[in-house]
Amino acid sequence: MASNSICYDLHCHSTASDGALSPAALVRLAAQQKVDVLALTDHDSTAGLAEAATTAAETGIRFIPGIEISVTWQKRLIHIVGLGIDESYNELQNGLVRLREDRRQRAAAIGERFAKIGMAEVYERACELAGDVVSRSHFAMALVEQKAAKDIQQAFRKYLQKGKRCYVASEWSSLEEALGWINGAGGQAVVAHPARYNMNRTLMNAFLEEFGGLGGVGIEVSCSSHSAPQAELMADFAEAHGLLASVGSDFHSPDTSWAKLGVTHPLPERCRPIWQDWALDSI
Ligand code: AMP
Ligand code: MN
Ligand code: MN
Ligand code: MN
């Protein structure tokens, strides 16, 4: 397949959200890793896009401006990636300002949970580590630094994931809002890591039906959180719902062994890739 000769990574994070590398350092690493087409998709922020685009132009990488928006759908946290967005679209930016404020409020509530168990310094450090987007990942980093967890995963397992003592639920944007912002900004909306939501077939079909109806066009088929059988299953869902397939490492840090920048499995042959109509020469 021709696409195999071009390396796409359409999902990753920088210090503009919960990634470890600055946008410029991230793009330089992508160049080293032989990525040809890179999308930066920080959580609820476009603050890293300009720097990434400049470095991409210097290194010869084709750059796609992106976003990963936090959505609440039927009480579940769902991430929707937007690819090829125009970040100057006002409604998108207004929505992202609101989401970042919701994140700050949730972080303060998480901080109260930690204070109650005698760990007030976790919140203070998380706020120092975070820029404009405060994420549970920053709490996890603080917990690792303060030796309350041996690694990020354990920090989530012990304190931060749903059901654990410092977890606080929040209401993010609706699916309709997120797709409206992405489409209004001229982007393509893609369901991030769909196998991670633990939806059964019936629920996934209902979700994708609604997603497509609201103007969503793609789902990630190949990504670091999918096993090979999960990628095949997602390829089935893409086919059944007439959706395009995307690939992304969801890279956050060079220290994470299971998500390396530019490293994803190729899409199954039967998939129609999200980039099928992209005019790459003009990127
Ligand atoms: P938030 O958007 O603030 O709720 O935080 C979610 C982020 O935390 C995700 O984007 C991941 O980067 C990270 N994350 C979520 N769950 C885990 C986990 N179990 N282990 C490691 N990182 C996680
Ligand atoms: Mn993240
Ligand atoms: Mn995500
Ligand atoms: Mn992500």
Side-chain angles (χ1 to χ4, degrees), residues 27-142:
V27 173
R28 282 194 293 269
L29 178 61
Q32 268 174 36
Q33 300 281 102
K34 308 275 184 254
V35 174
D36 296 296
V37 185
L38 181 76
L40 174 60
T41 56
D42 275 306
H43 298 285
D44 306 325
S45 172
T46 58
L49 296 181
E51 181 182 312
T54 303
T55 313
E58 288 162 10
T59 54
I61 283 192
R62 282 170 284 193
F63 182 68
I64 309 292
I67 184 79
E68 184 174 15
I69 299 182
S70 310
V71 165
T72 301
W73 183 80
Q74 295 199 2
K75 297 201 171 21
R76 283 162 194 268
L77 171 65
I78 307 273
H79 284 169
I80 303 293
V81 160
L83 297 175
I85 51 161
D86 172 359
E87 64 170 302
S88 70
Y89 180 56
N90 265 334
E91 282 186 46
L92 169 70
Q93 290 303 338
N94 294 341
L96 299 180
V97 165
R98 190 187 92 204
L99 286 172
R100 292 196 294 272
E101 179 53 32
D102 292 345
R103 283 180 167 279
R104 279 187 280 275
Q105 285 182 15
R106 179 191 60 163
I110 295 175
E112 283 169 24
R113 300 282 177 100
F114 276 109
K116 268 194 194 134
I117 55 172
M119 296 170 74
E121 63 290 349
V122 180
Y123 175 56
E124 283 156 33
R125 186 64 185 138
C127 290
E128 281 170 13
L129 290 167
D132 202 28
V133 176
V134 56
S135 151
R136 280 182 293 163
S137 303
H138 298 109
F139 283 89
M141 292 173 206

Side-chain angles (χ1 to χ4, degrees), residues 11-13 41 43 68 79 192-193 196 250 252:
H11 184 157
C12 65
H13 298 271
T41 56
H43 298 285
E68 184 174 15
H79 284 169
H193 39 67
R196 255 211 245 158
D250 205 2
H252 282 74

